[in-house]
Amino acid sequence: MNLIDTMNWRYAAKHMTSQKVSEEKVQEILEAINLTATSAGLQPFRVISISNPELKAKLQAASFNPQVAESSHLLVFASYTHISQAHVEEYISLIANTRNVPLETLAGFKENLSGLPSMPEDFIKNWAARQAYIALGTAIIAAANLKVDSTPMEGFDNAAFDEVLGLKEKGLQSVVLLALGYRDEASDFLVGQKKVRIPLEELIVTLN
């Protein structure tokens, strides 16, 4: 199935069955997230993958979406609330080690990134959250490619999620969720419905 067929197949499942997504498929989705594009490659977010039924039920109480509990796996995208100089130092070291290059050759890039720790907190929070949303898009496409249903969700109590998952202590804030599972064809009213999208020529402005 080509990409456009896959994208036509996927939709935000409103209800999911109890069927579990294999760990191999979940791992592939997580690897795709790890390979997603992010600003400067800094990856200023983390993804919490939850399959524990009791924990999902606890989080369900702080969400408007039944897919939180119904999902096989719930992915919580949590972005950084600040960038420290230690974050920059660790990232520069990772580049040097991964590419086997001297640290000195990265001095200019490091200098460019070193302004981030002094940026206002609101700027960092908003910027990091936008990076998490880029990763969310990658996850949705990766899941569809594996014929795994997914539902992106914003309808939840962020503060409650942060408390349950201990995110504040880690310098993180929950920003968006992705439920992974399989569509419940018996109870999901959207099963089999055509996608509703505006004409491509209305969405796209082409400047030649």
Side-chain angles (χ1 to χ4, degrees):
M1 187 176 288
N2 65 34
L3 177 61
I4 300 304
D5 288 339
T6 297
M7 296 304 289
N8 272 305
W9 172 86
R10 72 144 300 275
Y11 75 107
K14 300 306 177 187
H15 286 286
M16 295 180 171
T17 68
S18 59
Q19 182 181 353
K20 298 300 180 185
V21 180
S22 71
E23 289 302 324
E24 290 78 12
K25 288 187 175 182
V26 172
Q27 188 61 32
E28 188 167 340
I29 293 167
L30 295 176
E31 288 180 7
I33 292 171
N34 194 35
L35 291 170
T36 197
T38 64
S39 180
L42 263 171
Q43 297 176 281
F45 59 87
R46 293 295 180 263
V47 180
I48 299 90
S49 177
I50 304 167
S51 59
N52 181 280
E54 290 77 18
L55 182 52
K56 286 189 295 177
K58 191 172 184 179
L59 294 171
Q60 179 66 74
S63 173
F64 309 114
N65 304 286
Q67 301 95 323
V68 168
E70 292 176 355
S71 66
S72 168
H73 292 69
L74 179 68
L75 305 185
V76 179
F77 290 77
S79 60
Y80 285 11
T81 56
H82 68 282
I83 297 290
S84 68
Q85 189 59 37
H87 286 135
V88 175
E89 298 283 352
E90 289 168 6
Y91 179 47
I92 294 299
S93 294
L94 178 62
I95 296 173
N97 291 333
T98 302
R99 295 178 176 170
N100 194 28
V101 296
L103 282 170
E104 309 84 72
T105 64
L106 301 170
F109 185 45
K110 178 181 176 181
E111 183 178 355
N112 290 338
L113 297 180
S114 292
L116 285 170
S118 61
M119 297 298 288
E121 184 177 289
D122 283 348
F123 172 87
I124 293 297
K125 285 183 175 180
N126 291 328
W127 167 75
R130 289 195 295 271
Q131 304 308 304
Y133 273 88
I134 295 173
L136 171 71
T138 298
I140 291 171
I141 296 172
N145 185 60
L146 296 169
K147 290 300 175 287
V148 173
D149 285 298
S150 65
T151 307
M153 299 172 287
E154 291 185 315
F156 67 100
D157 184 335
N158 302 70
F161 267 62
D162 293 355
E163 182 176 354
V164 170
L165 299 174
L167 297 183
K168 186 176 181 180
E169 295 81 355
K170 298 178 176 69
L172 297 168
Q173 61 175 2
S174 57
V175 292
V176 68
L177 313 175
L178 186 67
L180 300 176
Y182 295 99
R183 62 189 69 176
D184 186 345
E185 298 193 359
S187 60
D188 191 337
F189 72 95
L190 281 178
V191 170
Q193 297 288 333
K194 284 188 175 181
K195 276 189 181 293
V196 179
R197 297 291 189 272
I198 63 175
L200 193 61
E201 59 269 21
E202 185 177 336
L203 176 68
I204 307 300
V205 177
T206 303
L207 304 177
N208 293 320

